[in-house]
Amino acid sequence: MDYPFKRRTMVEKLNVKELGPDQPEVKISQQDKEKGKLYTRGFSRNWYTRKAWLAGCNHANALFCFLCLLFKTTGTDKAWIVSGVTDMKHFSEKVKKHESSRAHMDNTVKLAMLGRANIAMQLDEGNGRNGGRLARENNSSWVQR
């Protein structure tokens, strides 16, 4: 949080990507009364294996979206990037809603593409905008004319 992802070097960004989300043992429990019975719902670590993007924080004792924390895309539900999610009663629904949000899907693509070759730059080089082979051949043909 103190050193935003967008200000990091590419090497640092790739290192963060490789490390993935922090997934500590968080102790979130919530008591609820339904039909006269008292229930205690708690966070289970198996959610980490089910949702690779899920990050936990012992300090906030809450759950966050790793992808959305990195890219801070406009339109992301603040609970996933600021306060954290602690509502275990509605957790499954919150996860489904968040995963289908445009911001989350965009961030998934951004992280997946991070560190891969930029196709636009490769095309520019091939077409001569940055001194590619075709540009050199075209320039020598032009000079000969």
Side-chain angles (χ1 to χ4, degrees), residues 109-121:
V109 171
K110 285 179 191 174
L111 190 64
M113 296 306 294
L114 185 69
R116 295 191 178 208
N118 185 334
I119 300 300
M121 285 179 57

Side-chain angles (χ1 to χ4, degrees), residues 73-92:
T73 305
T74 313
T76 303
D77 180 354
K78 298 291 183 207
W80 289 106
I81 58 174
V82 177
S83 58
V85 175
T86 58
D87 181 4
M88 293 294 103
K89 181 176 182 178
H90 302 104
F91 187 68
S92 184

Side-chain angles (χ1 to χ4, degrees), residues 4 7 11 49 60 73 84:
R7 291 192 1 224
V11 172
T49 56
T73 305

